[in-house]
Amino acid sequence: MIYLTRERERKLENILYYRELKKMARDIRQVLAGLLTGSMLIMLCNMVKRDHFDPIYVENLSVQYDLIKVSKQSLVKLSDGTSGGIWRENLSLKPCWRKPLSTTNEEQAKGYIFLTLTDNPEDHVTQIAGAVVVAKYLGAILVLPEIKGTKTGHKRQFGDIYDTERFITSLDGTIKVVKDPPIEESKVNITNIKVPFMVTKDFIASKIQPKFKSKGNLMVSTDLSPSTMTKAKEIIKKDNVKMDPYACLAIFGSFELQPELNQLVNSMIGTLRSLSYNTNGQFVAVDLKVESLGNLCKGNVIKTKNCFDPKEIGEFLKKIGYQRHTTIYLTQSGWHSSLDDFRKIFPNTFTKDAIIPAYEKAKYHITKSSEFEKVIDFQICIQADVFVPTVSNLFYTNVVAKRIASGKTEVLDPTQKASSASSTAAVNYVSPYISKKSHWAYSCFC
């Protein structure tokens, strides 16, 4: 009996021993599983951060560039990157005007202000501002403008590009806006009148109001000639003239893209950000159109400080610190062989043709000289982290106006400090619109 009892005790001890070993093994497996799970989570986070889910390997785009079409929204959030060049935080500004600017309208006249916008979206900022100011001080009704197409005789509705309801609602309490005037009014002879940029209340009272009283309906157009715009800049600089508050409301508080077009632009910007994982989602927009640069440089045996070719623009960006992996958006339509040297410096260079989904391209008829192309370029240049103009024109001026409003003051002008061509400091090339606060937009904000 004693022998049997001891034998059972030994068996019991062995059973307990093996159970303990199994428990230890199970604990070790759990620890290892936890470590593996943690490692996988870290790898997954890094993949999301660096956007490894994007099927495009950017460095190899130079061969199949024109065949690549992407449409994915960005997985990368904008952060404070310092990967070369100049990347700053946005500086928020508050409007010096308030909406509504007046609680009561002036006595409403029985007249209408008509307006036709050009096919250039950069003109719309100035044209709408002038029409709103004229309508306000005349007490007139503004008819929703039409937009000229790129083809002769072709016109688009305001709502094809802009949010109609937003426009009408935002100006409620300031002026009345109608989509269509009464039929009898539209048949009345309309007097054409041209107004200067930054039209004033005094000018309206002396030059426009007499015609309005006698005619009743006016077709207003803004003088956008280079000489007039240059003169306006000189007046602003010399006399510190401020933008009319109603013009500020019109420019910065009244019109936005219609929802579907706005979604397309945001999708394209999201794609550019997803391709910019080496710069924390930040990218540079360069207003570079081969034809425009060619016309500017044509006939210049010795190039002036305002004349650059694509390669020189690329070398400029490299010189001030932007690295090879920086994502660049060019406003050029399609690809042009003269841009090959630029792409050798910055392989991650895109035009709209490479980042717009094929079905959207067909929907908006994105072809050369399309008004929708111009709208897309204008909006991407406004929202890019850095904007680089290559030509001094109204596109440059009004993109900067919108950027100032949103605090995006990173605007680098290659023509600055031309005498110090060897300078590598990006701060030396900040646009005088920003560095000297010489832009009229600053008068609208505090």
Side-chain angles (χ1 to χ4, degrees):
M1 292 293 293
I2 294 173
Y3 174 79
L4 291 174
T5 301
R6 288 178 178 174
E7 186 68 27
R8 291 176 65 183
E9 285 178 351
R10 284 196 296 271
K11 288 182 178 180
L12 181 60
E13 287 174 355
N14 288 337
I15 291 170
L16 293 173
Y17 176 74
Y18 285 119
R19 283 182 178 177
E20 192 67 23
L21 286 176
K22 287 181 179 180
K23 182 180 179 182
M24 290 174 63
R26 184 167 60 251
D27 291 341
I28 291 171
R29 287 197 299 270
Q30 289 176 348
V31 171
L32 289 174
L35 290 172
L36 287 171
T37 302
S39 300
M40 291 177 69
L41 280 172
I42 292 171
M43 290 173 64
L44 183 62
C45 290
N46 287 332
M47 289 173 74
V48 172
K49 181 179 178 182
R50 293 180 60 84
D51 199 23
H52 283 203
F53 293 110
D54 197 307
I56 298 176
Y57 182 58
V58 182
E59 289 292 331
N60 292 329
L61 283 177
S62 58
V63 178
Q64 297 294 328
Y65 177 82
D66 294 314
L67 300 179
I68 294 172
K69 307 295 175 187
V70 290
S71 61
K72 182 177 60 60
Q73 289 283 358
S74 173
L75 294 174
V76 182
K77 291 184 178 180
L78 180 62
S79 59
D80 300 329
T82 55
S83 303
I86 178 172
W87 308 99
R88 299 184 192 170
E89 293 184 12
N90 295 337
L91 304 174
S92 299
L93 297 175
K94 295 181 179 180
C96 297
W97 42 270
R98 291 293 180 268
K99 196 270 173 188
L101 296 169
S102 59
T103 56
T104 58
N105 283 325
E106 297 175 13
E107 184 179 351
Q108 198 69 46
K110 293 182 179 180
Y112 291 83
I113 300 299
F114 294 84
L115 172 70
T116 299
L117 302 176
T118 69
D119 64 333
N120 296 313
E122 64 268 25
D123 296 345
H124 300 172
V125 171
T126 307
Q127 292 175 304
I128 288 177
V132 168
V133 172
V134 169
K136 173 60 185 176
Y137 290 126
L138 292 179
I141 300 171
L142 178 64
V143 177
L144 201 68
E146 294 181 316
I147 303 174
K148 286 184 178 179
T150 51
K151 297 180 180 179
T152 304
H154 182 255
K155 291 184 179 180
R156 292 192 178 276
Q157 297 299 311
F158 186 82
D160 290 342
I161 294 178
Y162 299 110
D163 189 331
T164 299
E165 296 306 319
R166 158 85 179 172
F167 182 73
I168 295 173
T169 303
S170 65
L171 294 173
D172 185 34
T174 300
I175 61 170
K176 182 178 180 180
V177 181
V178 297
K179 296 180 180 180
D180 297 295
I183 296 177
E184 61 272 16
E185 292 291 344
S186 61
K187 291 182 179 179
V188 176
N189 290 332
I190 301 174
T191 301
N192 295 321
I193 188 165
K194 184 169 286 189
V195 301
F197 172 63
M198 293 183 70
V199 60
T200 64
K201 186 176 182 179
D202 291 340
F203 182 92
I204 293 169
S206 61
K207 303 292 184 180
I208 302 178
Q209 194 166 27
K211 294 181 180 180
F212 179 70
K213 286 184 176 180
S214 62
K215 300 294 183 179
N217 297 321
L218 300 177
M219 174 66 76
V220 174
S221 62
T222 303
D223 189 351
L224 299 175
S225 63
S227 58
T228 300
M229 298 304 292
T230 300
K231 184 177 180 181
K233 289 179 183 178
E234 292 174 352
I235 293 174
I236 294 170
K237 183 177 180 180
K238 180 181 178 181
D239 301 328
N240 195 28
V241 175
K242 293 185 177 181
M243 181 68 73
D244 186 282
Y246 297 109
C248 292
L249 169 62
I251 294 170
F252 301 112
S254 71
F255 65 107
E256 296 178 353
L257 293 183
Q258 53 99 335
E260 290 184 359
L261 188 54
N262 188 54
Q263 185 177 2
L264 170 60
V265 171
N266 288 338
S267 173
M268 294 173 70
I269 291 174
T271 297
L272 289 167
R273 295 206 185 287
S274 72
L275 295 169
S276 307
Y277 51 80
N278 282 319
T279 53
N280 296 313
Q282 297 169 307
F283 71 95
V284 178
V286 182
D287 179 28
L288 194 161
K289 297 182 178 71
V290 173
E291 184 178 351
S292 297
L293 290 178
N295 292 336
L296 185 65
C297 298
K298 190 176 181 179
N300 288 322
V301 178
I302 300 177
K303 293 183 178 180
T304 67
K305 66 176 183 179
N306 295 320
C307 178
F308 302 93
D309 60 36
K311 183 179 179 181
E312 289 170 327
I313 296 297
E315 290 173 342
F316 162 73
L317 292 173
K318 179 181 178 181
K319 177 181 70 175
I320 62 176
Y322 288 102
Q323 298 177 9
R324 177 180 172 82
H325 57 242
T326 302
T327 298
I328 309 287
Y329 175 81
L330 302 181
T331 56
Q332 171 71 26
S333 297
W335 195 257
H336 191 278
S337 59
S338 64
L339 300 175
D340 289 344
D341 288 333
F342 185 98
R343 194 167 60 189
K344 288 177 182 178
I345 303 172
F346 295 102
N348 304 344
T349 296
F350 304 90
T351 65
K352 66 188 70 61
D353 298 66
I355 61 173
I356 187 172
Y359 66 91
E360 296 282 15
K361 185 175 183 179
K363 177 180 177 181
Y364 289 102
H365 307 289
I366 301 299
T367 56
K368 191 174 182 180
S369 299
S370 165
E371 54 267 40
F372 286 114
E373 275 196 53
K374 297 176 182 179
V375 170
I376 290 170
D377 287 335
F378 189 64
Q379 293 297 323
I380 291 180
C381 288
I382 289 171
Q383 297 184 53
D385 301 288
V386 178
F387 171 56
V388 180
T390 58
V391 179
S392 181
N393 54 15
L394 198 57
F395 185 96
Y396 172 16
T397 300
N398 286 344
V399 164
V400 174
K402 292 287 190 175
R403 290 182 66 89
I404 289 171
S406 61
K408 290 181 174 290
T409 55
E410 303 83 356
V411 181
L412 302 178
D413 188 343
T415 67
Q416 299 305 304
K417 303 290 182 181
S419 59
S420 303
S422 60
S423 175
T424 59
V427 69
N428 289 334
Y429 297 93
V430 173
S431 167
Y433 279 142
I434 305 299
S435 61
K436 298 179 181 179
K437 291 191 174 183
S438 61
H439 200 289
W440 51 260
Y442 281 107
S443 67
C444 291
F445 295 88
C446 302

